[in-house]
Amino acid sequence: MSLSTRTPAESSDSPREPGSQAQARISGLYIYPVKSCAGVTLQESELTDAGLDLDRAWMVVDASGEFVSQRELPRMALVQVSLRGGEVVLRAPGMLALHLGIDRVEAPARVRIWDDEVPAYDMGAVAAQWFTDFLGQPLRLVRFDPEHQRLSSMKWTGGVEAPNQFSDGFPLLVLSQASLDGLNQRLQAAGRTPVTLAHFRPNIVLDGLTAHGEDGLGLLAIEADLPVQLQLVKPCARCSIPNIDPATGLSDPALGDALQVYRSLPSMGGAVCFGMNAIIRAGDGARLRIGQSVVGDWRFD
């Protein structure tokens, strides 16, 4: 069965007249402490100017200091991560647990992520051997240097200096639950298996929007203990990682094929996009929680 280009979830929308606003709530919070490894589901999280606390604070690099990800090593999806007291605990099939002190590092290092060469801290021989053994090539684990500012592309931030750690380019990824539901309706109609949020690795999931309503939003205000403002700045162009099943580490192009039908955006040069990258305009130190209200301004540009 072919995939249609519209789903019931997309058949109606909130008013988008100038001055109108979208109402939503936070239904999911996720961090990915080690870049490209499994995420951690949270009920609440501290917001920093570089994203949710501990998100992409660690990264796996090869012998030359270049980052590696599920794109080259899909088995990274099988590395499960948990937070326990002052530790990050990593588990993987056939491996003893690796315990990392959140505030412990070893030698300074220089590493590369995309076009950025940044200072970091090596996490030592035990962590290096753990990833080398599990993934089958010489690797090391590094921690981002919090004294360094790695800025998001000012082409998209409008000149705003928006730091992030080891994320691909922006401190937050925002996705609506309706977007995932709409995709799963398409997949099921085509006789394919529905997917989970874990395929798309969002930080903040919103309820109350229509499918891909996040595409049209600009500034989000969140009811928290401190005033929070997030700015949605760029559609998230998708690579091959969503095709990788988080439960098995195996890739299936069916998901990418389904997205290609209706999420190839001309405004992004035909790139397949799902979710919106965001920066923090206000709220460093605020606590984000499941259930908090979100008000979004519709963008008219």
Side-chain angles (χ1 to χ4, degrees):
M1 180 183 295
S2 64
L3 293 171
S4 67
T5 59
R6 195 168 180 83
T7 70
E10 297 168 306
S11 61
S12 62
D13 208 346
S14 304
R16 295 195 182 184
E17 293 80 15
S20 66
Q21 293 181 314
Q23 306 289 329
R25 59 180 288 275
I26 296 177
S27 61
L29 289 170
Y30 303 88
I31 60 170
Y32 308 86
V34 181
K35 183 178 179 65
S36 235
C37 296
V40 178
T41 304
L42 302 173
Q43 291 299 304
E44 64 177 78
S45 179
E46 182 180 349
L47 183 68
T48 76
D49 63 354
L52 297 182
D53 187 36
L54 298 182
D55 187 48
R56 276 86 170 191
W58 291 267
M59 182 172 74
V60 183
V61 299
D62 64 17
S64 65
E66 186 84 20
F67 88 100
V68 297
S69 73
Q70 290 182 36
R71 298 169 184 86
E72 308 84 32
L73 299 171
R75 274 169 56 85
M76 291 183 74
L78 302 181
V79 178
Q80 300 298 312
V81 185
S82 60
L83 303 177
R84 180 182 299 170
E87 291 185 329
V88 175
V89 182
L90 308 183
R91 293 182 171 84
M95 303 291 293
L96 295 175
L98 175 64
H99 293 252
L100 303 173
I102 288 176
D103 296 325
R104 294 179 64 88
V105 295
E106 293 202 13
R110 298 286 298 183
V111 298
R112 178 168 289 277
I113 173 170
W114 298 114
D115 294 330
D116 298 329
E117 184 178 328
V118 299
Y121 290 98
D122 190 275
M123 294 301 295
V126 172
Q129 193 63 54
W130 195 90
F131 277 98
T132 296
D133 290 346
F134 182 64
L135 296 172
Q137 68 181 64
L139 298 167
R140 300 198 73 85
L141 183 67
V142 298
R143 173 80 189 259
F144 191 83
D145 181 353
E147 298 300 315
H148 177 72
Q149 273 210 334
R150 176 177 174 246
L151 298 180
S152 305
S153 169
M154 291 193 189
K155 169 187 174 182
W156 293 100
T157 67
V160 175
E161 292 190 351
N164 65 93
Q165 297 196 73
F166 286 137
S167 62
D168 275 351
F170 297 89
L172 292 171
L173 177 64
V174 177
L175 181 66
S176 71
Q177 180 65 45
S179 297
L180 180 72
D181 294 344
L183 169 62
N184 280 331
Q185 288 175 21
R186 294 168 181 274
L187 290 171
Q188 290 178 303
R192 297 172 182 166
T193 303
V195 297
T196 66
L197 287 165
H199 284 260
F200 295 101
R201 304 174 69 80
N203 295 114
I204 298 174
V205 180
L206 299 179
D207 264 346
L209 301 176
T210 54
H212 307 292
E214 62 270 29
D215 291 3
L217 292 174
L219 201 65
L220 303 182
I222 300 177
E223 270 190 15
D225 52 340
L226 296 173
V228 173
Q229 289 188 330
L230 310 179
Q231 186 174 346
L232 307 188
V233 295
K234 179 182 179 290
C236 183
R238 293 296 179 166
C239 60
S240 59
I241 288 180
N243 288 336
I244 298 169
D245 186 338
T248 65
L250 301 177
S251 183
D252 182 351
L255 175 55
D257 292 345
L259 289 171
Q260 186 74 44
V261 172
Y262 75 113
R263 290 300 299 169
S264 180
L265 301 187
S267 62
M268 293 293 294
V272 172
C273 298
F274 203 83
M276 288 290 291
N277 291 301
I279 63 175
I280 295 91
R281 298 302 304 271
D284 184 13
R287 302 292 299 182
L288 298 187
R289 295 181 175 86
I290 300 296
Q292 284 175 334
S293 298
V294 180
V295 176
D297 292 334
W298 295 116
R299 202 173 55 243
F300 294 91
D301 51 19

